[in-house]
């Protein structure tokens, strides 16, 4: 589970050119604009990551005098990436006293999302895509998720130190899809749900179109999962200019060994199965000096999915070539342009 609200120590504070009332606080790999003088370096505060859905009682000012929005029955607002006086700002700091009365372990990076009533904002899925549930997501398979690099400053420094190499793929903006064969039973899941095979369900349609069940059986891929992104024309103004839905693989998981295939083996097997793979930008890239800002700058660029001039890509995903750590770097340019 992603920690949306955590107890953090303010690492650094920097002035913002031309601004007297605000300054820039740094925590891990994140930069957040705060009121000047509200925090000092070393203070404990509560940090809320972008895409937190923040109940209006916690931060009424987020609604800017308008009525708050609503998500899953909670009145509040979504934390977005913004630029203030030219300074990128991601997330929100709340003073430590919002935790008064909390029964939590008051340790650095402790997760206080539940106490504060913060949930992750998600793009609403339409009914046809969501489909009907056959059951919960299979517990034997990891749900697809990638940690944001801003939360992995230490781990990234460690990876640079050890000279680790990474595959870089384009991060596609669609819906997570998992196809599995468990003890001979084939199934198709969205990010969180095992789906019933119904006529109009796009996840199942695409699995049938690519013939994934037969291909997995013929290849003997029992107790195995293929994970990828379902992208389609009907959403987000069809940024990839698709004429029909597509499934693009980004992970393969062996349930028997409890491990992901290495990027190399996954790419090779995807070719054998003749299923599209998410765009591969690099197969063995180091992390340079490992600076968060530098790697974030790599995330920006045009998608290689488009026809001639692609749209701004959402970001890139790093996977260690031996099947070790993985993480995502979301393009700030993309986030700032998001509607
Ligand atoms: P987010 O979309 O921010 O929740 O980031 C995690 C999700 O990115 C995963 O659950 C996948 O569905 C999706 N994703 C898109 N492209 C890729 C990729 N190339 N590698 C891994 N995950 C990806
Ligand atoms: Mn996504």
């Amino acid at each position: 589970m992603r920690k949306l609200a955590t107890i953090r120590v303010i690492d650094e504070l920097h002035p913002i050119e031309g601004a007297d009332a605000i300054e820039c606080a740094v925590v891990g790999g994140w930069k957040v604009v705060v009121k000047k003088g509200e925090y000092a370096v070393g203070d404990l505060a509560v940090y809320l990551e972008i895409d937190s859905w923040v109940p209006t009682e916690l931060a009424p000012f987020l609604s800017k005098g308008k009525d708050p929005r609503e998500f899953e029955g909670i009145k509040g607002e979504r934390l977005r990436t913004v630029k203030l006086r030219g300074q990128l700002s991601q997330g929100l700091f709340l003073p430590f006293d919002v935790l008064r009365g909390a029964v939590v372990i008051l340790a650095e990076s402790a997760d206080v999302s539940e106490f504060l009533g913060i949930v992750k904002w998600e793009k609403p899925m339409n009914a046809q895509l969501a489909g009907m549930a056959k059951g919960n997501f299979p517990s034997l398979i990891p749900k697809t998720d990638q940690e944001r690099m801003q939360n992995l400053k230490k781990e990234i420094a460690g990876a640079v130190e050890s000279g680790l190499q990474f595959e870089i793929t384009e991060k596609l903006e669609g819906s997570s899809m998992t196809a599995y064969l468990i003890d001979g039973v084939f199934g198709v899941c969205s990010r969180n749900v095992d789906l019933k095979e119904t006529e109009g369900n796009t996840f199942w349609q695409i699995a049938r179109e690519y013939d994934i069940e037969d291909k997995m059986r013929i290849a003997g891929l029992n107790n195995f999962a293929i994970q990828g992104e379902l992208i389609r024309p009907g959403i987000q103004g069809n940024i990839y200019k698709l004429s029909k839905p597509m499934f693009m693989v980004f992970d393969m998981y062996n349930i028997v060994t409890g491990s992901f295939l290495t990027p190399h083996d996954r790419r090779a097997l995807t070719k054998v199965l003749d299923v599209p793979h998410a765009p591969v930008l690099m197969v063995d890239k180091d992390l340079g000096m490992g600076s968060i800002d530098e790697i974030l700058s790599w995330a920006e660029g045009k998608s290689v999915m488009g026809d001639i001039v692609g749209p701004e890509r959402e970001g890139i995903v790093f996977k260690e070539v031996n099947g070790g750590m993985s993480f995502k770097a979301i393009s700030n340019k993309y986030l700032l342009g998001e509607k």
Side-chain angles (χ1 to χ4, degrees):
M1 239 332 249
R2 181 162 152 206
K3 295 179 182 178
L4 290 160
T6 48
I7 299 172
R8 303 289 266 266
V9 176
I10 310 267
D11 293 329
E12 297 167 31
L13 281 168
H14 299 287
I16 299 166
E17 225 182 273
D20 312 322
I22 53 176
E23 57 191 338
C24 177
V26 180
V27 62
W30 297 103
K31 291 182 181 144
V32 191
V33 171
V34 294
K35 238 188 253 157
K36 202 168 200 163
E38 191 164 10
Y39 300 99
V41 171
D43 275 0
L44 281 178
V46 175
Y47 174 64
L48 311 185
E49 216 175 271
I50 46 172
D51 286 345
S52 293
W53 185 260
V54 187
T56 194
E57 309 81 67
L58 271 183
F61 53 86
L62 291 175
S63 298
K64 297 181 180 147
K66 294 193 198 122
D67 282 340
R69 282 175 242 259
E70 197 170 317
F71 173 72
E72 290 182 354
I74 308 165
K75 288 211 164 22
E77 299 291 338
R78 168 191 176 198
L79 290 185
R80 293 163 165 279
T81 298
V82 291
K83 248 185 181 172
L84 297 163
R85 298 291 192 98
Q87 171 61 56
L88 187 79
S89 181
Q90 296 185 299
L92 178 70
F93 274 113
L94 292 174
F96 198 64
D97 344 318
V98 293
L99 295 179
R100 219 174 311 154
V103 185
V104 290
I105 301 163
L106 296 183
E108 201 183 340
S109 81
D111 186 348
V112 292
S113 312
E114 210 178 304
F115 174 76
L116 295 174
I118 287 166
V119 295
K120 183 175 182 272
W121 176 85
E122 304 261 11
K123 245 176 241 145
M125 227 192 238
N126 74 20
Q128 175 201 10
L129 195 59
M132 275 188 291
K134 185 169 86 180
N136 293 328
F137 193 91
S139 58
L140 295 170
I141 308 168
K143 285 187 182 177
T144 64
D145 211 356
Q146 292 297 332
E147 181 65 283
R148 287 187 193 251
M149 64 170 308
Q150 287 93 335
N151 293 327
L152 297 174
K153 219 174 158 178
K154 280 188 209 123
E155 290 82 352
I156 287 171
V160 171
E161 185 114 319
S162 326
L164 297 186
Q165 306 244 300
F166 291 81
E167 172 203 66
I168 302 179
T169 52
E170 178 174 333
K171 186 170 188 299
L172 299 168
E173 200 193 345
S175 303
S176 163
M177 166 168 160
T178 296
Y180 67 78
L181 195 59
I182 298 178
D183 295 337
V185 179
F186 180 72
V188 176
C189 311
S190 63
R191 186 174 198 154
N192 295 309
V193 179
D194 198 347
L195 296 164
K196 237 182 227 159
E197 180 166 15
T198 53
E199 189 97 349
N201 184 256
T202 316
F203 289 94
W204 270 97
Q205 274 170 2
I206 197 106
R208 291 305 182 207
E209 190 184 319
Y210 288 98
D211 215 4
I212 294 176
E213 176 173 3
D214 288 344
K215 287 176 181 173
M216 286 180 83
R217 289 189 192 283
I218 290 163
L221 297 173
N222 190 24
N223 293 313
F224 198 88
I226 300 178
Q227 303 184 298
E229 198 79 350
L230 170 64
I231 51 176
R232 61 204 183 99
I235 39 164
Q236 301 290 312
N238 195 12
I239 50 173
Y240 302 122
K241 303 269 181 285
L242 301 170
S243 53
K244 57 184 184 63
M246 279 188 87
F247 173 61
M248 304 194 95
V249 173
F250 56 67
D251 265 322
M252 290 193 174
Y253 186 75
N254 182 338
I255 296 172
V256 179
T257 59
S259 57
F260 287 98
L261 266 62
T262 62
H264 173 274
D265 290 353
R266 179 222 315 131
R267 293 191 303 265
L269 187 51
T270 306
K271 273 211 186 99
V272 172
L273 297 176
D274 191 25
V275 179
H277 193 281
V280 179
L281 305 180
M282 296 268 180
V283 294
D284 53 359
K285 174 82 181 84
D286 59 65
L287 297 180
M289 306 293 281
S291 116
I292 300 282
D293 284 344
E294 185 190 10
I295 300 172
L296 281 174
S297 75
W298 301 347
E300 296 184 1
K302 299 292 181 196
S303 169
V304 298
M305 291 291 298
D307 281 347
I308 301 163
V309 181
E312 210 54 41
R313 66 174 172 236
E314 188 186 358
I316 51 183
V317 178
F318 289 77
K319 295 191 177 115
E320 201 270 318
V321 294
N322 298 308
M325 75 187 291
S326 72
F327 58 89
K328 64 185 174 192
I330 306 287
S331 158
N332 285 326
K333 205 164 171 188
Y334 165 88
L335 287 173
L336 286 166
E338 219 185 359
K339 268 160 231 106

